[in-house]
Amino acid sequence: MASPAPLVASISHQMVALQTLQLLQQEWGWGDGPGAPGGPCDPDHVPAAPARRSGPVRARTGPGREEGGGGARNRGARARASSPEVEGVRGAEGGAELLPFPRDRGPCTLARMAMRSALARVVDSTSELVSVEQTLLGPLQQERSFPIHLKDSVEFRNICSHLALQIEGQQFDRDLNAAHQCLKTIVKKLIQSLANLPSDAHMVACASLRQILQNLPDT
């Protein structure tokens, strides 16, 4: 029986990379994937500006109603003070952002939307790869050994760790592209390793790996 140790080690490095990328998504507030409705980079999303007031909150006076009358004003003020709406306004008056964007560094431009989409693609593809390796390749590796290129998974983990330290910009884009390409290399080499083992189980595994490749187009 072949040892599954190389595959297990490879999966371990990939899972560290995946966790790093998922934490990065959360830090940016991008954990729901590209184009998430209501997200800061959703094209239809309009962020609510914090409500700021320079004076006290006063009730509107409708037709036929007078603003005077200290007793009425006091009763209205007590009612308003206990309402959630007024509490929200008070928070805004104190300078708090009502809808803060985590790690926000500017408006949601087309470039940021593309970056978010690219990051989500790498995260999703890495998750799929780990799943295929655990459920399909693991049992196959125990039956018959095939080459596992561990150094590629180590490099992928290191690239993702370096990516997480970058501020949005050219270096971030380069690291993200490097992660994308390294992940493609891992998948391609796995397909090549399985090519000479034409059993039904290996064909199923290859089909799953090719599907991952389709989700990682050339950049």
Side-chain angles (χ1 to χ4, degrees), residues 191-215:
I191 293 175
Q192 293 172 357
S193 296
L194 297 174
N196 296 326
L197 304 172
S199 68
D200 290 342
H202 288 85
M203 292 177 63
V204 171
C206 280
S208 298
L209 292 171
R210 290 192 181 96
Q211 181 62 46
I212 295 174
L213 270 186
Q214 292 181 5
N215 296 330

Side-chain angles (χ1 to χ4, degrees), residues 56-59 69-83 86-87 90:
V57 179
R58 301 181 65 180
R73 284 202 302 271
N74 291 338
R75 287 193 298 271
R78 285 195 298 269
R80 291 192 301 272
S82 61
S83 67
V86 172
E87 293 301 321
R90 282 180 176 174

Side-chain angles (χ1 to χ4, degrees), residues 139-158:
L140 293 177
Q141 181 77 359
Q142 293 179 358
E143 295 175 4
R144 184 171 181 180
S145 179
F146 51 87
I148 296 293
H149 302 275
L150 180 59
K151 66 180 183 64
D152 293 324
S153 294
V154 174
E155 181 182 0
F156 180 61
R157 181 204 65 193
N158 292 339

Side-chain angles (χ1 to χ4, degrees), residues 93-174:
E93 288 174 348
E97 294 286 339
L98 297 182
L99 292 174
F101 293 169
R103 199 175 176 177
D104 190 18
R105 291 181 175 83
C108 184
T109 62
L110 290 176
R112 294 190 76 195
M113 292 176 65
M115 182 174 63
R116 175 185 180 177
S117 177
L119 178 59
R121 188 178 297 114
V122 173
V123 170
D124 292 344
S125 298
T126 304
S127 179
E128 288 293 329
L129 174 60
V130 170
S131 177
V132 169
E133 289 173 325
Q134 290 177 331
T135 60
L136 298 179
L137 300 190
L140 293 177
Q141 181 77 359
Q142 293 179 358
E143 295 175 4
R144 184 171 181 180
S145 179
F146 51 87
I148 296 293
H149 302 275
L150 180 59
K151 66 180 183 64
D152 293 324
S153 294
V154 174
E155 181 182 0
F156 180 61
R157 181 204 65 193
N158 292 339
I159 291 172
C160 293
S161 296
H162 190 264
L163 170 66
L165 299 176
Q166 302 308 310
I167 298 175
E168 178 183 358
Q170 292 184 352
Q171 184 59 52
F172 186 96
D173 293 341
R174 283 194 292 267

